[in-house]
Amino acid sequence: MRKALYPGSFDPVTSGHRDIIRRTSALFDQLIVGVLHNPQKPSGAFAVNDRVAMLMEISHGLDNVRVCAFSGLLVDIARENGIQTVIRGLRSGQDFESEMQMARLNRQMTGLETMFLAASPEYVHISSNMVREIGRFGGDLHGLVPGRILSHVSEVLRAE
Ligand code: PNS
């Protein structure tokens, strides 16, 4: 079985993440979307179980997608779950340097491979950071996050 892991903070999941999930699910037998969190660090704007719930909601209808929360090293999570490939989306040159570093370190540690998907042009300017900033000031998040979670994300950020 060809199994891939799409890891991230997803705080919150954006329309760009949704696009990568949809496209990757068509390439693998199973896609595990992993909410990576560090229990030692502040939890972020959205609770980890809320991020998982939102990812499940927006993956509705993609039958080979599972969503899980993990902590620890990516290479260990991959090994423990029989995953050979990590998926990351690339938006810009800015992403490139840090993503290359992570991919090379993961490959050096255990041979874990990373595959990159070019972000679709309509989503290259979207990030969770910007979604949080816009949402906190009550801005319109339409199109920036998937429609199924739009009102929830707006409400949580506005209430912060
Ligand atoms: O959505 P993000 O914040 O860009 O995702 C980054 C993430 C979670 C994929 C990265 O920080 C990660 O892999 N964390 C797990 C810990 C780990 O393995 N660190 C070493 C990477 S070489």
Side-chain angles (χ1 to χ4, degrees), residues 19-20 23-24 27 87-91 115-120:
D19 180 56
I20 299 288
R23 288 162 58 199
T24 308
L27 301 174
I87 302 295
R88 295 285 286 171
L90 275 184
R91 290 167 299 189
M115 283 175 58
F116 296 101
L117 263 69
S120 300

Side-chain angles (χ1 to χ4, degrees), residues 6 10 13-14 16-26 31 33 55 58-59 62 64-65 67 87 117:
Y6 180 32
F10 304 110
V13 60
T14 67
H17 294 133
R18 168 73 174 78
D19 180 56
I20 299 288
I21 292 169
R22 189 184 50 75
R23 288 162 58 199
T24 308
S25 73
L31 173 64
V33 181
L55 280 159
I58 62 110
S59 303
L62 300 173
N64 63 342
V65 175
V67 184
I87 302 295
L117 263 69

Side-chain angles (χ1 to χ4, degrees), residues 63-117:
D63 294 336
N64 63 342
V65 175
R66 276 178 52 206
V67 184
C68 302
F70 297 106
S71 61
L73 278 180
L74 201 60
V75 288
D76 293 332
I77 293 160
R79 190 166 34 204
E80 284 157 17
N81 290 278
I83 291 159
Q84 309 82 14
T85 314
V86 168
I87 302 295
R88 295 285 286 171
L90 275 184
R91 290 167 299 189
S92 63
Q94 218 181 331
D95 283 346
F96 185 82
E97 291 301 326
S98 55
E99 291 297 336
M100 286 302 129
Q101 183 185 25
M102 278 201 294
R104 289 183 177 125
L105 284 167
N106 286 331
R107 186 154 183 266
Q108 179 172 342
M109 284 189 279
T110 64
L112 179 64
E113 294 283 10
T114 302
M115 283 175 58
F116 296 101
L117 263 69

Side-chain angles (χ1 to χ4, degrees), residues 10-11 35 37 39 45 54-56 62 79 84 93 104 111-112 117-118 126 134 144-145 150 152 155-156:
F10 304 110
D11 186 34
V35 177
H37 66 105
M54 288 190 283
L55 280 159
M56 288 169 80
L62 300 173
R79 190 166 34 204
Q84 309 82 14
R104 289 183 177 125
L112 179 64
L117 263 69
I126 301 174
I134 294 166
L144 306 186
V145 299
L150 177 63
H152 176 68
E155 274 165 31
V156 171

